[in-house]
Amino acid sequence: MSAAKNNAEVLIGGKVYTLSGFESEEYLQQVATYLNRKMNESFGQEGYRKQSPETKTVLLGLNIADDYFKATKQAETLESDLEQKEKDIYELKHELISVQIKLENAEKALEKEKSENNALQMQVVKLETEMKNHKR
């Protein structure tokens, strides 16, 4: 089942246009707002105003393409950073597991040593008791 197509009346460059798409009306308005902002930025430059309509269109397209490529590069950088962080987390998890295993083994060894120590202390007490009994 496909999503319903949405229509939105938007104002671009002082003219009303009807945009259609599968995106929300809010999104279509955001696109129009972005385009208006880019147009206003361009119109604010004196050199742009002196250009032919065709050159203005090309320059506007170049500015939008520049934004696109910069956004794409930033997304790639963020994605690369995310991948590195995920790799670091993966390695840290494995290091944590390794340290936990070593800790568990150390705790087991400590318990074994404590048990052996208790057995030896009991043997010392037994031997001391036997020595006292022999001295009498």
Side-chain angles (χ1 to χ4, degrees), residues 9 15 24 27 32 34 38 45 47 54 65-66 75-76 94 97-98 102-104 111 113 115 119 121 124 133:
E9 286 193 358
K15 294 181 183 177
S24 69
Y27 175 80
Y34 169 79
K38 295 306 289 182
Q45 299 173 6
E54 182 180 309
D66 179 53
E76 288 171 357
H94 282 280
I97 291 169
S98 175
K102 288 177 183 178
L103 176 61
E104 288 174 9
E111 285 302 313
E113 294 295 326
S115 177
Q121 285 178 349
V124 166
N133 287 340

Short mmCIF file of all heavy atoms in Angstrom, two decimals, residues 9 15 24 27 32 34 38 45 47 54 65-66 75-76 94 97-98 102-104 111 113 115 119 121 124 133:
data_model
loop_
_atom_site.label_atom_id
_atom_site.label_comp_id
_atom_site.label_asym_id
_atom_site.label_seq_id
_atom_site.Cartn_x
_atom_site.Cartn_y
_atom_site.Cartn_z
N GLU A 9 -0.02 24.35 -1.23
CA GLU A 9 0.17 25.63 -1.91
C GLU A 9 1.27 26.36 -1.18
O GLU A 9 1.22 26.51 0.05
CB GLU A 9 -1.12 26.44 -1.91
CG GLU A 9 -2.13 25.91 -2.89
CD GLU A 9 -3.28 26.87 -3.13
OE1 GLU A 9 -3.33 27.95 -2.52
OE2 GLU A 9 -4.14 26.52 -3.95
N LYS A 15 5.21 34.20 -5.93
CA LYS A 15 4.17 33.52 -6.72
C LYS A 15 3.70 32.28 -5.97
O LYS A 15 4.48 31.60 -5.30
CB LYS A 15 4.71 33.11 -8.10
CG LYS A 15 5.06 34.27 -8.99
CD LYS A 15 5.54 33.77 -10.34
CE LYS A 15 5.97 34.94 -11.21
NZ LYS A 15 6.50 34.49 -12.49
N SER A 24 5.05 15.14 3.63
CA SER A 24 4.00 15.88 4.32
C SER A 24 3.91 17.31 3.79
O SER A 24 4.87 17.84 3.20
CB SER A 24 4.29 15.93 5.83
OG SER A 24 5.43 16.74 6.09
N TYR A 27 6.63 19.41 5.20
CA TYR A 27 7.92 19.24 4.52
C TYR A 27 7.94 20.07 3.23
O TYR A 27 8.94 20.76 2.94
CB TYR A 27 8.19 17.77 4.21
CG TYR A 27 9.45 17.56 3.41
CD1 TYR A 27 10.69 17.59 4.02
CD2 TYR A 27 9.39 17.37 2.02
CE1 TYR A 27 11.86 17.43 3.28
CE2 TYR A 27 10.55 17.21 1.28
CZ TYR A 27 11.78 17.23 1.91
OH TYR A 27 12.93 17.09 1.18
N ALA A 32 9.92 24.96 0.22
CA ALA A 32 9.65 26.28 -0.36
C ALA A 32 10.34 27.38 0.45
O ALA A 32 10.91 28.32 -0.13
CB ALA A 32 8.14 26.52 -0.41
N TYR A 34 13.06 27.10 2.20
CA TYR A 34 14.50 27.01 1.90
C TYR A 34 14.79 27.71 0.56
O TYR A 34 15.73 28.50 0.45
CB TYR A 34 14.94 25.55 1.86
CG TYR A 34 16.33 25.36 1.29
CD1 TYR A 34 17.44 25.61 2.08
CD2 TYR A 34 16.52 24.97 -0.04
CE1 TYR A 34 18.73 25.46 1.56
CE2 TYR A 34 17.79 24.82 -0.55
CZ TYR A 34 18.89 25.07 0.25
OH TYR A 34 20.15 24.94 -0.27
N LYS A 38 17.22 30.97 -0.14
CA LYS A 38 18.34 30.98 -1.09
C LYS A 38 18.16 32.09 -2.14
O LYS A 38 19.13 32.75 -2.51
CB LYS A 38 18.49 29.62 -1.78
CG LYS A 38 18.88 28.47 -0.86
CD LYS A 38 20.12 28.75 -0.06
CE LYS A 38 21.38 28.75 -0.84
NZ LYS A 38 22.61 28.97 -0.04
N GLN A 45 22.74 40.16 -3.31
CA GLN A 45 24.07 40.45 -3.85
C GLN A 45 23.92 41.27 -5.13
O GLN A 45 23.21 40.89 -6.06
CB GLN A 45 24.81 39.14 -4.14
CG GLN A 45 25.02 38.29 -2.90
CD GLN A 45 25.59 36.93 -3.22
OE1 GLN A 45 25.93 36.63 -4.36
NE2 GLN A 45 25.68 36.09 -2.20
N GLY A 47 25.88 41.94 -7.64
CA GLY A 47 26.31 41.30 -8.88
C GLY A 47 25.26 40.34 -9.41
O GLY A 47 25.09 40.20 -10.63
N GLU A 54 18.56 33.80 -17.04
CA GLU A 54 19.17 32.47 -17.20
C GLU A 54 20.38 32.31 -16.26
O GLU A 54 20.52 31.29 -15.60
CB GLU A 54 19.61 32.27 -18.65
CG GLU A 54 20.20 30.90 -18.92
CD GLU A 54 20.61 30.75 -20.38
OE1 GLU A 54 19.80 31.04 -21.27
OE2 GLU A 54 21.76 30.32 -20.59
N ALA A 65 23.23 23.53 -5.11
CA ALA A 65 24.10 22.36 -5.26
C ALA A 65 25.25 22.42 -4.26
O ALA A 65 25.63 21.39 -3.67
CB ALA A 65 24.65 22.28 -6.69
N ASP A 66 25.79 23.62 -4.03
CA ASP A 66 26.86 23.78 -3.04
C ASP A 66 26.36 23.37 -1.66
O ASP A 66 27.04 22.64 -0.94
CB ASP A 66 27.32 25.25 -3.03
CG ASP A 66 28.41 25.51 -2.01
OD1 ASP A 66 29.43 24.78 -2.04
OD2 ASP A 66 28.24 26.43 -1.19
N ALA A 75 27.33 14.83 6.27
CA ALA A 75 26.67 13.57 6.61
C ALA A 75 27.67 12.42 6.54
O ALA A 75 27.67 11.53 7.40
CB ALA A 75 25.49 13.32 5.67
N GLU A 76 28.52 12.42 5.52
CA GLU A 76 29.54 11.36 5.39
C GLU A 76 30.52 11.42 6.57
O GLU A 76 30.90 10.38 7.11
CB GLU A 76 30.30 11.51 4.08
CG GLU A 76 29.49 11.15 2.86
CD GLU A 76 30.19 11.52 1.56
OE1 GLU A 76 31.29 12.12 1.58
OE2 GLU A 76 29.61 11.21 0.49
N HIS A 94 34.48 -5.65 24.36
CA HIS A 94 35.29 -6.87 24.41
C HIS A 94 36.37 -6.77 25.48
O HIS A 94 36.66 -7.74 26.18
CB HIS A 94 35.90 -7.17 23.03
CG HIS A 94 34.92 -7.79 22.10
ND1 HIS A 94 34.59 -9.12 22.15
CD2 HIS A 94 34.14 -7.25 21.13
CE1 HIS A 94 33.68 -9.39 21.24
NE2 HIS A 94 33.38 -8.26 20.61
N ILE A 97 34.64 -7.34 28.79
CA ILE A 97 34.36 -8.78 28.99
C ILE A 97 35.64 -9.50 29.41
O ILE A 97 35.63 -10.32 30.33
CB ILE A 97 33.75 -9.40 27.72
CG1 ILE A 97 32.33 -8.85 27.52
CG2 ILE A 97 33.75 -10.92 27.79
CD1 ILE A 97 31.72 -9.18 26.17
N SER A 98 36.75 -9.18 28.74
CA SER A 98 38.03 -9.80 29.07
C SER A 98 38.43 -9.48 30.51
O SER A 98 38.86 -10.37 31.26
CB SER A 98 39.10 -9.31 28.10
OG SER A 98 40.37 -9.80 28.46
N LYS A 102 38.87 -12.01 33.74
CA LYS A 102 40.07 -12.03 34.58
C LYS A 102 39.70 -11.78 36.04
O LYS A 102 40.26 -12.43 36.95
CB LYS A 102 41.06 -10.97 34.11
CG LYS A 102 41.75 -11.32 32.81
CD LYS A 102 42.67 -10.20 32.35
CE LYS A 102 43.29 -10.51 31.00
NZ LYS A 102 44.14 -9.42 30.51
N LEU A 103 38.77 -10.88 36.29
CA LEU A 103 38.33 -10.60 37.66
C LEU A 103 37.67 -11.83 38.27
O LEU A 103 37.95 -12.19 39.42
CB LEU A 103 37.35 -9.41 37.67
CG LEU A 103 36.73 -9.06 39.02
CD1 LEU A 103 37.82 -8.68 40.02
CD2 LEU A 103 35.71 -7.95 38.87
N GLU A 104 36.79 -12.48 37.51
CA GLU A 104 36.14 -13.69 38.01
C GLU A 104 37.17 -14.76 38.34
O GLU A 104 37.08 -15.43 39.37
CB GLU A 104 35.12 -14.21 36.99
CG GLU A 104 33.88 -13.37 36.88
CD GLU A 104 32.96 -13.83 35.75
OE1 GLU A 104 33.20 -14.91 35.16
OE2 GLU A 104 32.00 -13.10 35.46
N GLU A 111 39.36 -17.09 46.46
CA GLU A 111 38.53 -17.97 47.29
C GLU A 111 39.26 -19.30 47.55
O GLU A 111 39.23 -19.82 48.66
CB GLU A 111 37.17 -18.24 46.62
CG GLU A 111 36.21 -17.09 46.71
CD GLU A 111 35.92 -16.66 48.14
OE1 GLU A 111 35.67 -17.52 49.00
OE2 GLU A 111 35.96 -15.44 48.40
N GLU A 113 42.52 -19.72 47.56
CA GLU A 113 43.61 -19.42 48.50
C GLU A 113 43.08 -19.25 49.91
O GLU A 113 43.70 -19.71 50.88
CB GLU A 113 44.37 -18.16 48.06
CG GLU A 113 45.13 -18.30 46.75
CD GLU A 113 46.26 -19.32 46.82
OE1 GLU A 113 46.89 -19.45 47.87
OE2 GLU A 113 46.50 -19.98 45.79
N SER A 115 40.41 -20.62 51.16
CA SER A 115 40.03 -21.96 51.63
C SER A 115 41.27 -22.74 52.06
O SER A 115 41.28 -23.38 53.12
CB SER A 115 39.29 -22.69 50.52
OG SER A 115 38.97 -23.99 50.91
N ALA A 119 42.27 -24.03 55.80
CA ALA A 119 42.63 -25.42 56.07
C ALA A 119 43.99 -25.49 56.76
O ALA A 119 44.18 -26.25 57.73
CB ALA A 119 42.64 -26.22 54.78
N GLN A 121 45.41 -23.06 58.56
CA GLN A 121 45.26 -22.53 59.92
C GLN A 121 44.66 -23.57 60.85
O GLN A 121 45.09 -23.69 62.00
CB GLN A 121 44.40 -21.25 59.92
CG GLN A 121 45.12 -20.04 59.38
CD GLN A 121 44.23 -18.80 59.35
OE1 GLN A 121 43.03 -18.87 59.54
NE2 GLN A 121 44.86 -17.66 59.10
N VAL A 124 47.37 -25.88 61.66
CA VAL A 124 48.30 -25.29 62.63
C VAL A 124 47.71 -25.42 64.04
O VAL A 124 48.40 -25.81 64.99
CB VAL A 124 48.60 -23.80 62.28
CG1 VAL A 124 49.26 -23.09 63.45
CG2 VAL A 124 49.47 -23.71 61.03
N ASN A 133 49.56 -31.08 74.08
CA ASN A 133 49.18 -32.34 74.74
C ASN A 133 50.43 -33.25 74.94
O ASN A 133 50.51 -33.97 75.92
CB ASN A 133 48.13 -33.08 73.93
CG ASN A 133 46.79 -32.42 74.01
OD1 ASN A 133 46.52 -31.64 74.93
ND2 ASN A 133 45.93 -32.68 73.04
#
